[in-house]
Amino acid sequence: MNNDDLIYASLLLFSITFGYFIRLFKERELRKWVSTLVGLLLVFVVSGFHIVHPLICTLINALIIVNMDKTTCAKYSFAFQFGYLAFFRTTEYFGIPYPPAHTNLVQMVLTLKLVGLAFEVQDTAVAKAKARDKSEDSDTNIQEVAASVSPGFMDIFHYAFTHVGVLTGPFYTYRTYNDWLHTPFSDHAPCFEETLRKLKWLPLFLSLFLTATYFYPLQYAKSDEFYSERSFWYRLWYTYPSFFIFRMRIYSGLIMSECVCTMAGLGAYPVATAPVAGQGPSKDFALLRQVVSDPEQAKKATYNFETIHNIDPYGSEFIPTLRQSMKSWNICIQYWLAVNVYKRLPRNAFRTTVTLFVSAFWHGIYAGYYLCICTVALYLPVEDLYVKHFTKGLGGMAGKIADFVVWFFRLQALSYMAITFFLLTIHDSFKYWNSIYFCCHVLWAAFYMVGVVAVKARKKSNMEKDKSI
């Protein structure tokens, strides 16, 4: 474990512990200010004078959201924030020292929060306009959205720098943050118990991460020895421990970041409102209002933290298809991408690719991010073809074998793609793929062509049978 990882883990542990104390502040305005001041301190500790970057972004976005036309402000926020993200990662070309790695994490989370807030405000304005054009019994969900998000300048500042998730996320909406401050949910939710439930898996993931890193260091894949003395099969196999290390590291970090939320009580909602990861309550808003206004009902309600549920290791490991397993990984960010990018694009064959490109751009400017994330768009059509026409509907032992085969190829595909995420540069990434002859690209293309031919042959055979009948 390097120094960056130690600092990262230490600050997350501090944030988890501090969550217990922040809940002791029953006066909500005091809780808000204390949380923000601690959040600013955390950002300063990891950033130093580079804290100017998140401060500038928050200032400009606050001005956009507060002063511009609410029905169009999101596109300006999106353009500015992602444009600044590109500048932030190329500051050395402008004679400005490159920010520390942890400041990059702060900036990534801030991008999601500020752009997401602009879309919340925009959706609120659009919903209000629709509600005015309808009868008084307009859709309840529209009324709820219209009433929920109208922050002032300082509200945006507090949301951006509250200590909960300021370093690593998970992403949560402004409404969720506002509910944390102004509802009694955190006072009655099982914050400590939920935190312990999540943390019990941490020793396992950390020990697996440290053990695998010791025996299979990622930097070895960049060494001359790796290419000169290792066989094709060893180089191909090395994608597995590399991807395993990556998963264990991410599981550990995301579980700890979830615990920062659970210990502070942020993201707690009544189970009856069917909270959704990233979004919050999805139904029964009338009950939500009742629980807020009735102390006795608030005490009796059953709560969960699904709103900030960001990683499902079991689903990520064992769901057979890539399309479905992706929904178990960085769940709150998947929600952000779906709501703020994918669903706002025209319905065509390119919106999945555009969404993946935005995800890659958000991660960084290294070619490895794009090669890893955007290559998903090449694999999904192959998987979809075989699942739809050959494995779907199979039961019994045949179904289990089919699921295993799909899972095996999904794991190989992700391992093959993910190694470029570590190698980063286009030179190192293509050097590695070239050393194994781009075998997975070739295999996917071959499988796709064979699958298309087989599907056409099956359709032709079925048509001939129908004619003979």
Side-chain angles (χ1 to χ4, degrees), residues 434-449:
N434 186 60
S435 76
I436 56 172
Y437 310 111
F438 291 87
C439 60
C440 284
H441 284 90
V442 174
L443 189 66
W444 301 341
F447 270 127
Y448 188 76
M449 288 187 288

Side-chain angles (χ1 to χ4, degrees), residues 126-144:
V126 171
K128 285 182 177 179
K130 288 181 179 179
R132 285 194 296 268
D133 296 335
K134 293 185 177 182
S135 60
E136 292 183 359
D137 60 343
S138 298
D139 182 77
T140 303
N141 190 38
I142 289 178
Q143 292 179 353
E144 285 293 335

Side-chain angles (χ1 to χ4, degrees), residues 29-49:
E29 191 69 14
L30 181 59
R31 175 186 292 190
K32 177 173 68 177
W33 276 99
V34 171
S35 178
T36 300
L37 290 173
V38 171
L40 281 168
L41 178 62
L42 288 171
V43 176
F44 180 75
V45 167
V46 300
S47 305
F49 78 90

Side-chain angles (χ1 to χ4, degrees), residues 377-409:
L378 300 179
Y379 178 77
L380 285 178
V382 185
E383 180 183 84
D384 291 344
L385 177 69
Y386 279 85
V387 170
K388 179 180 179 180
H389 294 286
F390 299 103
T391 70
K392 187 177 181 180
L394 292 177
M397 183 57 66
K400 292 180 180 178
I401 293 173
D403 282 346
F404 174 79
V405 172
V406 172
W407 171 84
F408 174 79
F409 279 102

